[in-house]
Amino acid sequence: MEKYYHRTACSICGSRNLSLVLDLGQMPLANAFLKKEELFLPEDKFPLCVYFCRDCSSLQLLDIVDPEILFKYYDYLTSASKPLAEHFVWMGKELAEEFVSSQKDLVVEIGGNDGVLLEAIKEKCRVLNIDPAENVAEISRRKGIETISCFFSEGAAEKILSEHGNAKVVVANNVMAHIENLKGIFSGVKKLIGEDGVFVFEVHWVGNLIGEGGFDQIYHEHIFYHSLTVLKHLAESIGLKIFDIKIVPIHGQSMRVFAAKNFEIRSSVDEFLAKEKNLGLDKEETFLAFAQKISDNKKRLIDMLGQIKEEGKMIVGYGAPAKGNTLLNYFQIGHGLLDFLTDTTPLKQGLYSPGMHIPVVSPDKIDEKRPDYFLLLAWNYADAILAKEQKMIEKGSKFIIPVPEAKIL
Ligand code: TMP
């Protein structure tokens, strides 16, 4: 495969009736943090354009970057974001409580990263992590979790089935947006869960992306921006039924979706589908209006930061999440406006942000420098971060939330 290729048909339904609703231009990869010696080398950039399918209403990228480039080495660790790690520990326990009845039961996690969820339940049942990133898989293994370093597919599912038997639960958090061949995932999971198992996944909800959340969740790793409406059709086309849905406060708002062959469908499903219809998630105009909102906010945030700098104040970026790089690159916010980014992920510290080349440092630097303003790039953890930085706020530092409409808290 070339580094990327351009699809001409919808990845979900195969239609060519696609409309470009948002063009973010040429963008570096959101997790391609750079070493100092790489700063003067040419940087790969790829088109970041969002298309609406007029036939199945899905929202997706058509410029697909080779997954080997995106996921074989991964700077992102679940355990580096305390609120996320706590969420997955809690989720693991809930799933074990509801669906695991014996120590012989198997729970498989697709893209289980450094094993936070499985570690929380590994005494209750057999666990298996499938994650393509070698560096992350190694961390998971060190926690005593059997981990296979590969991309999940129908073929991988067959191999797991022959070596480990059926899974009672297959979990996939924050991966259903990342995989082009979703039909292959559903088909593989269907084989793996047999007649009695369940497939539970969390994925960011498109209703949040265009509403209270931020457009910055759009980057090459996220091929899809899902609605339940689209996922339901897709699951049914493979012979799985979505039987329950919950909204969880992760990445703004994510859907926790439950699918299986033989479970009774709960009322939550029809209620949520009706909500999506009311929001116009099946209409192209909804996404064109979203694109307009982004360009209005671009002007608003740039003006705000410019004014603060004119007053001679220091601004730093709080967090160096992948989404921050979409925001910084699309809004052209560089080292002239932000002195540095702080991030709790050791793998990112000492590196430079893709495209804008802002240094990423450890949060220890905050105490030393006492910035006047923080641009909260990790806005999805605002509550936890504001609570953690209360002392800094009392001393006069202010937080800026960049999306959906920039505001100073
Ligand atoms: P995420 O939104 O994709 O989970 O990424 C969040 C990033 O923000 C991740 O790199 C860790 C970082 N982070 C901090 O630097 N400080 C914090 O307090 C939290 C919660 C996250």
Side-chain angles (χ1 to χ4, degrees):
M1 187 179 176
E2 295 288 313
K3 285 183 177 170
Y4 87 102
Y5 85 106
H6 180 79
R7 292 183 62 94
T8 50
C10 169
S11 305
I12 304 268
C13 74
S15 165
R16 290 177 192 272
N17 193 5
L18 297 154
S19 145
L20 173 64
V21 288
L22 176 64
D23 183 352
L24 297 175
Q26 293 285 324
M27 281 271 180
L29 299 178
N31 269 315
F33 289 88
L34 301 161
K35 295 190 187 111
K36 194 170 191 168
E37 57 274 22
E38 290 169 333
L39 287 178
F40 301 101
L41 299 176
E43 215 174 336
D44 280 333
K45 293 193 177 170
F46 305 96
L48 189 56
C49 298
V50 182
Y51 295 81
F52 175 77
C53 174
R54 293 186 176 126
D55 284 332
C56 74
S57 313
S58 60
L59 198 67
Q60 65 195 280
L61 307 184
L62 296 178
D63 296 290
I64 311 292
V65 177
D66 180 356
E68 295 275 335
I69 298 176
L70 293 174
F71 303 119
K72 270 313 222 187
Y73 176 90
Y74 213 41
D75 274 335
Y76 182 84
L77 294 181
T78 304
S79 58
S81 292
K82 201 164 161 254
L84 188 66
E86 284 169 358
H87 171 78
F88 286 143
V89 168
W90 165 72
M91 179 184 187
K93 288 184 177 161
E94 273 197 344
L95 293 180
E97 182 82 7
E98 193 171 351
F99 300 112
V100 169
S101 48
S102 136
Q103 288 223 326
K104 287 190 189 140
D105 286 345
L106 174 68
V107 177
V108 175
E109 186 168 9
I110 304 173
N113 198 267
D114 55 359
V116 169
L117 186 150
L118 294 181
E119 191 181 24
I121 57 170
K122 74 180 193 328
E123 308 306 330
K124 293 193 169 72
C125 53
R126 293 183 294 140
V127 297
L128 178 65
N129 185 5
I130 314 291
D131 198 292
E134 304 278 358
N135 62 318
V136 170
E138 195 42 44
I139 302 175
S140 164
R141 277 184 209 114
R142 285 206 293 267
K143 293 177 178 168
I145 297 162
E146 181 171 353
T147 306
I148 304 175
S149 194
C150 74
F151 288 97
F152 185 82
S153 62
E154 210 172 334
E158 282 163 6
K159 197 158 180 284
I160 297 167
L161 191 59
S162 71
E163 288 171 11
H164 299 264
N166 281 124
K168 205 68 195 281
V169 185
V170 175
V171 194
N173 292 329
N174 303 316
V175 297
M176 296 298 278
H178 300 59
I179 299 171
E180 186 186 8
N181 181 9
L182 277 185
K183 284 191 178 157
I185 301 301
F186 275 115
S187 303
V189 170
K190 187 181 155 196
K191 285 189 176 155
L192 203 48
I193 60 176
E195 294 307 307
D196 318 315
V198 290
F199 180 31
V200 186
F201 58 90
E202 286 189 1
V203 67
H204 186 230
W205 178 48
V206 69
N208 179 254
L209 177 89
I210 64 164
E212 290 307 302
F215 82 98
D216 48 355
Q217 310 257 28
I218 298 168
Y219 45 89
H220 299 97
E221 286 176 26
H222 295 162
I223 298 171
F224 297 108
Y225 303 90
H226 283 304
S227 63
L228 186 68
T229 309
V230 171
L231 286 167
K232 181 174 179 283
H233 285 139
L234 190 59
E236 282 171 1
S237 74
I238 306 296
L240 285 174
K241 285 186 207 143
I242 290 178
F243 67 90
D244 199 5
I245 158 102
K246 289 185 180 127
I247 281 288
V248 291
I250 289 298
H251 304 304
Q253 286 180 319
S254 298
M255 297 180 279
R256 183 183 294 176
V257 179
F258 298 74
K261 277 187 204 155
N262 300 315
F263 279 58
E264 195 178 321
I265 298 173
R266 300 179 187 159
S267 58
S268 55
V269 175
D270 276 345
E271 284 161 19
F272 203 79
L273 293 172
K275 176 171 161 171
E276 290 193 337
K277 188 123 195 99
N278 278 339
L279 287 171
L281 298 188
D282 54 349
K283 295 206 166 56
E284 186 178 339
E285 306 86 84
T286 307
F287 300 102
L288 292 170
F290 166 59
Q292 182 56 48
K293 243 172 54 178
I294 299 166
S295 74
D296 295 346
N297 190 41
K298 178 173 181 175
K299 183 172 180 328
R300 186 183 168 93
L301 182 61
I302 295 290
D303 289 351
M304 185 185 281
L305 298 179
Q307 205 174 327
I308 294 171
K309 284 313 274 183
E310 264 174 37
E311 291 163 14
K313 302 274 167 64
M314 183 198 261
I315 316 170
V316 308
Y318 199 108
K323 63 177 145 330
N325 291 322
T326 294
L327 184 107
L328 298 176
N329 281 287
Y330 186 55
F331 286 7
Q332 286 293 293
I333 298 172
H335 202 6
L337 288 172
L338 304 184
D339 282 48
F340 54 84
L341 312 177
T342 73
D343 198 282
T344 45
T345 316
L347 295 172
K348 294 182 186 177
Q349 294 162 8
L351 301 179
Y352 293 79
S353 72
M356 300 317 288
H357 298 183
I358 307 173
V360 184
V361 301
S362 147
D364 298 344
K365 192 100 173 185
I366 298 177
D367 281 335
E368 198 187 302
K369 295 281 179 185
R370 299 257 178 93
D372 303 293
Y373 287 86
F374 292 104
L375 182 63
L376 188 49
L377 298 173
W379 52 263
N380 44 326
Y381 302 117
D383 290 348
I385 289 173
L386 293 175
K388 186 163 85 174
E389 301 299 353
Q390 205 47 44
K391 274 204 184 115
M392 195 66 68
I393 295 170
E394 279 162 18
K395 284 179 192 153
S397 295
K398 291 194 165 62
F399 275 81
I400 303 166
I401 306 274
V403 290
E405 202 171 85
K407 60 174 184 241
I408 301 175
L409 295 182

